[in-house]
């Protein structure tokens, strides 16, 4: 009987913790517009494709009409200046090349926004979302359908380079197209 009561107590406590975490996450999502998806990746609400929440784990391969892009993943990284969400001329050139590639393919891509460790967590989350939105806006202007894109804002949570050097910071200020 003691074992049964102990098991019920553990299950009840676990359920309470999970419920509190879910409620906390819901409140955080309502307040800040982002949270954690079922896949465990941070998510952000966006107007792309008419969805209230982001598509996580979008397909990375596809084909054009001739089938020449089959099984070739779409991947690119676009870098930003410190505290900026404005596209650099290098980023614009790289995005143009990707737009030509994406227009001919039946794929869905994910734009992952990132920031360096400077600034607060909340500020970096918003900045990384603005960066991803800048890339998405430019892709749309170049003829890529918004329904082919989703945005995930990671802020400073997934650095490309560890450390506090200017080199590490510059590598972390990016949007990854996957």
């Amino acid at each position: 009987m003691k074992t049964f009561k102990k098991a019920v107590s553990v299950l009840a406590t676990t359920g309470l913790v999970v419920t509190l975490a879910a409620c906390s996450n819901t409140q955080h999502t309502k307040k800040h517009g982002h949270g954690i998806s079922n896949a465990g990746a941070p998510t952000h609400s966006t107007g792309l494709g008419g969805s209230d929440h982001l598509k996580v784990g979008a397909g990375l391969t596809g084909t054009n009409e001739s089938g020449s892009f089959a099984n070739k993943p779409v991947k690119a990284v676009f870098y930003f200046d410190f505290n900026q969400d404005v596209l650099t001329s290098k980023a614009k050139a790289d995005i143009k090349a990707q737009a030509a590639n994406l227009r001919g393919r039946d794929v869905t891509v994910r734009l992952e926004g990132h920031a360096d460790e400077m600034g607060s967590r909340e500020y970096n989350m918003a900045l990384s979302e603005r960066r991803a939105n800048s890339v998405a806006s430019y892709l749309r202007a170049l003829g890529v359908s918004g329904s082919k894109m989703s945005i995930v804002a990671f802020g400073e949570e997934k650095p490309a380079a560890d450390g506090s050097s200017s080199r590490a910071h510059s590598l972390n200020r990016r949007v990854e197209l996957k």
Side-chain angles (χ1 to χ4, degrees):
M1 187 68 173
K2 282 186 179 181
T3 305
F4 178 74
K5 285 183 180 181
K6 187 174 181 179
V8 170
S9 175
V10 169
L11 288 174
T13 302
T14 304
L16 178 61
V17 170
V18 170
T19 302
L20 288 175
C23 290
S24 171
N25 190 36
T26 301
Q27 293 302 320
H28 184 73
T29 300
K30 287 179 184 175
K31 184 175 180 183
H32 299 289
H34 61 273
I36 304 296
S37 72
N38 290 337
T43 62
H44 238 316
S45 298
T46 181
L48 297 176
S51 174
D52 288 337
H53 292 284
L54 299 173
K55 303 171 200 165
V56 177
L60 300 177
T61 62
T63 60
N64 65 5
E65 292 166 2
S66 67
S68 63
F69 292 113
N71 299 320
K72 290 186 182 178
V74 176
K75 292 185 181 180
V77 179
F78 312 110
Y79 294 96
F80 290 79
D81 292 330
F82 173 71
N83 200 29
Q84 295 294 312
D85 58 17
V86 177
L87 298 171
T88 64
S89 56
K90 167 95 171 92
K92 284 183 178 181
D94 293 343
I95 293 167
K96 281 182 184 177
Q98 287 298 325
N101 183 21
L102 291 172
R103 280 191 308 265
R105 296 177 69 177
D106 181 24
V107 295
T108 302
V109 295
R110 184 171 63 196
L111 300 169
E112 297 181 350
H114 300 272
D116 60 29
E117 64 187 358
M118 306 296 283
S120 70
R121 183 181 186 283
E122 292 79 17
Y123 180 82
N124 288 336
M125 190 67 75
L127 177 60
S128 65
E129 180 182 24
R130 288 193 313 270
R131 288 175 173 164
N133 279 321
S134 291
V135 173
S137 293
Y138 197 57
L139 283 168
R140 281 193 308 270
L142 295 169
V144 177
S145 171
S147 64
K148 288 185 174 187
M149 296 180 270
S150 64
I151 290 176
V152 179
F154 285 105
E156 63 192 71
E157 301 301 317
K158 290 191 166 194
D162 290 327
S164 296
S165 69
S166 60
R167 173 82 173 136
H169 286 167
S170 67
L171 292 172
N172 292 333
R173 295 188 297 259
R174 70 198 190 281
V175 170
E176 294 183 25
L177 185 148
K178 295 183 177 184

